[in-house]
Amino acid sequence: MSTTTETGGPGSGTPETEQPASATGRPAEPTGRTAGSLGAMISAELTKLLRRPATWVLLGLWPALQLVFSTVIPYVSYQRGASFEGLPPEAVLASMLPDQLVLNSLSGLPLFGGALLLTLGALLAGSEYGWGTLKTLLGQGPRRLQVLAAQLLALLVVLAVTVLVSFGLTALASGAIAAGESAAADWPTAGRLLRGLGGGLLIAATWGALGLLLGHALRSTALPIALGLVWVLAAENLIVNVAAPLLGAFDTAQAALPGVNAGSLVAALAGNGATLRTPGVAAIVDGAQAAGVLAGFLVLFTALTALLLTRRDVV
Amino acid sequence: MPPAQAVGARPLVEPRPSDEVVVIAGLTKRYGSRTVVDDLSLTVRRGEVYGFLGPNGAGKTTTLRALLGLVRPTSGTASVLGRPAGAASSGVGALIEGPGFYPYLSGRENLRVLARYAGAPAGRVDTVLETVDLTDRARDRYSTYSLGMKQRLGVASALLKDPELVVLDEPTNGLDPAGISDMRALLRRLSADGHTVLLSSHLLGEVEQVCDRVAVISSGRLVVESSVGELLGLHRLVIDAEPLGEAAAITTRLLGPERVSVVGGAVHAQAGPEDAARINRALVLADVEVSGLRQEAQTLEAVFLQMTGSELAAAGPDPDGPPAQRTGRLSRRGAAR
């Protein structure tokens, strides 16, 4: 360590050094809590997210898989003149055209997309405990709720961009298919597009918030991810496809599941007449109810995370 | 040399409240049935380098976490810079229980993230990197750093806000001898710049050299809070005499039982040189044959081991005598409970 460099002190430019100093050169009055602005904290969280390789893998994987399963594979099937998932080639082509942009951009979100975004949320929160960085962050002065707000808002920013990317990629692909096949390019109206973007962000945020909750609750990464994946990919499917048809209680309860409501919201956003062929997308409840339930889950997950973060010791 | 003052006694002039940077009063922290910190009280004054010592598991880190608001005390209070613990973060910089940083970010990026959270000027990042001599490796990923470099980055993060109170928990862990020497110089410079430093360390030689006052805790309880000078001023007087029992009795009559013990065929007394002549005269007058009378200056390490060792040994046989005899006045605060 350098022994010649000034370590700071009076006049070094920090807010506290600008206060009247005592004989020791330090502030004479007790200094309270100050921290950066929420904007600065969100910027810090975005740096953490965007510089982390896992973020790019997880956020890149969903739009890529979405494109492959909603457009590329059906198009290859159409090109071969084969039926796809029981649909004749003409119906397969129609399902890839621009008027199906909302469905084809979001159809993976209730299931595999949700699993990936939940994983991102769990990584974002759980790593702070594994690396011991939460205590380092809190040591810099922010309140715990400020840290959570910054984490959640930064996550929302990258999720919004990812939803946009998914729409953009699908739009490019469907536009190219429409042009290449000389088919009608009936793009969704701006209102429908905005509802699609908003609905997609709501679903993504709900899964991300569940990941954050599990990461903070379990203070690790592996267990929250494992539990989250089992819930999204297996448990809800078993409830909907196995338990609900047999037992009335599960049939009623499925309407309150986040995955079911995500799938219902996507189905509602897809519009009447859309071919719902992606697993996890089904109109079990109506769109308004689905949006309400998902918004409720988003608030609930965030509130529980805030409760855990503020009530527990950081060890 | 003036008589050693009672260790733990407050100075004649009480410090003004504003001079008390850290005040811990009756702090207790329990996890289930396990008491980690037990009715701990101590005070750190403005501008001093305060050593916080104790064996592993003594409760040091938990206490420091409580000061930063990371853990909630079960009972008792802690205030920092006149505010409840955790509410005075702008004036506190801390390295607690090792550095915690994002492994995929560089050292500089890590500090930039923290500076945004702290509201510190961006320019502070380069300043503190220079301070801990990490400028050359600032662009490298944290995951590639050696333990010593990670530790230095942790110290840099504690200095980001140019805080009034710097809390360093084992800052020399992983540092090589040159790094330890630099850390010592940094601590002195921080003190000279008017910072108050609360230092937890196992390197007692370092503590002895840089700290103004120390607190020793064991099993979560305060054993002693004292200036280093007072602690080291409690010299051990070793008396070789026959008959040993009579020598011990006379010495005990002069100094009190808490300051005298018989160890390995000699009388050990917590006494300074000013007491030696008085004891020698009394022994000779009583026809006790004194074959040796020597002063053994104590290091902080020896004092620490005596105090914490006696606490630990209280439940079992102790070859050096009862804890009260060995710790003498040093254990005043801890023994009072």
Side-chain angles (χ1 to χ4, degrees):
Chain A
M1 265 167 271
S2 165
T3 56
T4 56
T5 308
E6 288 296 324
T7 58
S12 67
T14 58
E16 45 287 35
T17 57
E18 292 166 5
Q19 300 174 24
S22 69
T24 61
R26 308 306 309 164
E29 296 302 320
T31 47
R33 178 196 293 274
T34 61
S37 65
L38 184 59
M41 293 180 201
I42 294 170
S43 161
E45 288 297 326
L46 284 173
T47 299
K48 286 160 51 183
L49 269 170
L50 298 179
R51 293 300 308 253
R52 188 172 185 171
T55 304
W56 291 98
V57 172
L58 291 168
L59 291 184
L61 207 51
W62 167 50
L65 288 174
Q66 181 72 49
L67 186 66
V68 167
F69 287 109
S70 70
T71 306
V72 175
I73 292 176
Y75 187 65
V76 171
S77 169
Y78 169 75
Q79 284 287 308
R80 291 178 177 173
S83 62
F84 181 71
E85 293 183 336
L87 297 174
E90 297 75 23
V92 174
L93 176 63
S95 74
M96 295 180 289
L97 294 178
D99 68 335
Q100 297 299 309
L101 174 62
V102 173
L103 175 64
N104 288 336
S105 301
L106 299 178
S107 60
L109 207 43
L111 206 60
F112 65 80
L116 293 170
L117 301 182
L118 182 148
T119 300
L120 180 64
L123 278 181
L124 179 60
S127 302
E128 300 283 1
Y129 297 91
W131 292 329
T133 42
L134 184 59
K135 66 175 167 52
T136 307
L137 284 182
L138 292 173
Q140 297 300 331
R143 295 182 187 282
R144 298 181 188 196
L145 287 182
Q146 287 178 310
V147 173
L148 175 60
Q151 279 186 341
L152 189 62
L153 292 172
L155 186 60
L156 285 178
V157 169
V158 297
L159 293 181
V161 171
T162 310
V163 170
L164 276 174
V165 168
S166 180
F167 270 82
L169 287 175
T170 307
L172 284 174
S174 60
I177 289 170
E181 301 298 331
S182 301
D186 297 328
W187 294 96
T189 62
R192 198 171 149 222
L193 205 54
L194 283 175
R195 279 196 299 278
L197 288 167
L201 180 57
L202 178 60
I203 297 169
T206 304
W207 288 127
L210 177 57
L212 272 183
L213 170 61
L214 291 173
H216 278 296
L218 300 169
R219 299 195 254 213
S220 63
T221 52
L223 187 56
I225 290 171
L227 289 178
L229 292 183
V230 166
W231 178 261
V232 176
L233 299 178
E236 282 210 24
N237 270 328
L238 289 173
I239 291 171
V240 172
N241 297 316
V242 178
L246 296 175
L247 300 166
F250 282 100
D251 192 34
T252 306
Q254 67 173 335
L257 299 176
V260 167
N261 282 279
S264 298
L265 181 58
V266 172
L269 292 169
N272 295 328
T275 306
L276 306 178
R277 51 182 165 76
T278 308
V281 178
I284 295 176
V285 298
D286 69 57
Q289 180 181 338
V293 171
L294 286 175
F297 271 120
L298 179 57
V299 171
L300 177 68
F301 294 154
T302 304
L304 285 175
T305 309
L307 193 67
L308 285 171
L309 196 56
T310 52
R311 299 286 294 179
R312 296 198 301 186
D313 290 343
V314 176
V315 292
Chain B
M1 184 179 191
Q5 293 180 359
V7 177
R10 314 298 281 163
L12 293 175
V13 179
E14 283 292 321
R16 289 178 293 124
S18 61
D19 284 340
E20 294 178 338
V21 174
V22 175
V23 179
I24 296 175
L27 186 77
T28 297
K29 179 64 183 179
R30 293 192 190 92
Y31 291 106
S33 60
R34 190 165 56 95
T35 301
V36 180
V37 180
D38 188 2
D39 196 23
L40 183 68
S41 298
L42 55 84
T43 303
V44 180
R45 298 171 198 148
R46 194 178 303 280
E48 72 181 358
V49 181
Y50 189 95
F52 192 41
L53 312 178
N56 289 332
K60 301 187 299 295
T61 298
T62 303
T63 303
L64 299 181
R65 283 178 185 276
L67 274 184
L68 296 177
L70 296 175
V71 303
R72 293 171 196 278
T74 306
S75 62
T77 60
S79 70
V80 179
L81 299 169
R83 291 171 182 268
S89 303
S90 70
V92 185
L95 167 64
I96 302 290
E97 206 174 29
F101 291 99
Y102 303 97
Y104 54 92
L105 296 181
S106 70
R108 179 177 279 116
E109 287 169 335
N110 266 293
L111 292 181
R112 281 180 178 160
V113 164
L114 296 177
R116 286 181 201 144
Y117 264 101
R124 280 294 293 171
V125 169
D126 286 332
T127 302
V128 296
L129 280 169
E130 180 95 23
T131 298
V132 299
D133 203 13
L134 268 181
T135 304
D136 290 346
R137 295 290 305 273
R139 299 177 69 172
D140 293 344
R141 280 187 179 191
Y142 175 74
S143 58
T144 66
Y145 282 11
S146 68
L147 181 58
M149 292 167 65
K150 290 176 178 175
Q151 200 73 10
R152 282 187 278 158
L153 191 66
V155 174
S157 74
L159 301 176
L160 259 180
K161 292 178 291 183
D162 188 23
E164 175 171 6
L165 172 66
V166 182
V167 180
L168 299 174
D169 186 13
E170 303 290 353
T172 50
N173 272 359
L175 295 185
D176 57 20
I180 292 172
S181 175
D182 288 345
M183 179 65 70
R184 190 192 313 144
L186 174 65
L187 292 171
R188 286 184 173 139
R189 204 164 65 250
L190 286 172
S191 179
D193 286 345
H195 297 78
T196 304
V197 181
L198 174 51
L199 170 70
S200 163
S201 177
H202 281 123
L203 294 181
L204 300 179
E206 300 304 317
V207 171
E208 188 175 327
Q209 289 187 54
V210 300
C211 288
D212 303 305
R213 292 196 307 138
V214 296
V216 179
I217 68 169
S218 182
S219 303
R221 293 183 301 166
L222 182 68
V223 177
V224 65
E225 184 183 29
S226 164
S227 74
V228 173
E230 285 172 339
L231 267 185
L232 300 181
L234 287 175
H235 294 279
R236 176 188 292 171
L237 188 65
V238 180
I239 305 165
D240 299 312
E242 284 294 338
L244 188 62
E246 192 170 346
I250 292 168
T251 310
T252 299
R253 202 161 53 240
L254 290 172
L255 300 177
E258 75 277 7
R259 294 172 62 183
V260 181
S261 60
V262 176
V263 181
V267 177
H268 285 208
Q270 298 286 359
E274 69 283 352
D275 293 316
R278 187 162 62 101
I279 293 169
N280 186 39
R281 188 165 54 249
L283 293 174
V284 170
L285 287 174
D287 283 337
V288 173
E289 189 175 324
V290 179
S291 57
L293 194 146
R294 61 190 182 279
Q295 197 78 56
E296 287 184 354
Q298 297 190 93
T299 62
L300 186 58
E301 184 173 355
V303 173
F304 173 82
L305 290 174
Q306 268 190 347
M307 288 187 290
T308 57
S310 63
E311 289 269 322
L312 296 172
D318 183 352
D320 287 357
Q325 285 184 316
R326 292 212 297 137
T327 56
R329 292 180 296 174
L330 302 180
S331 62
R332 166 179 294 187
R333 284 184 151 205
R337 67 187 58 260

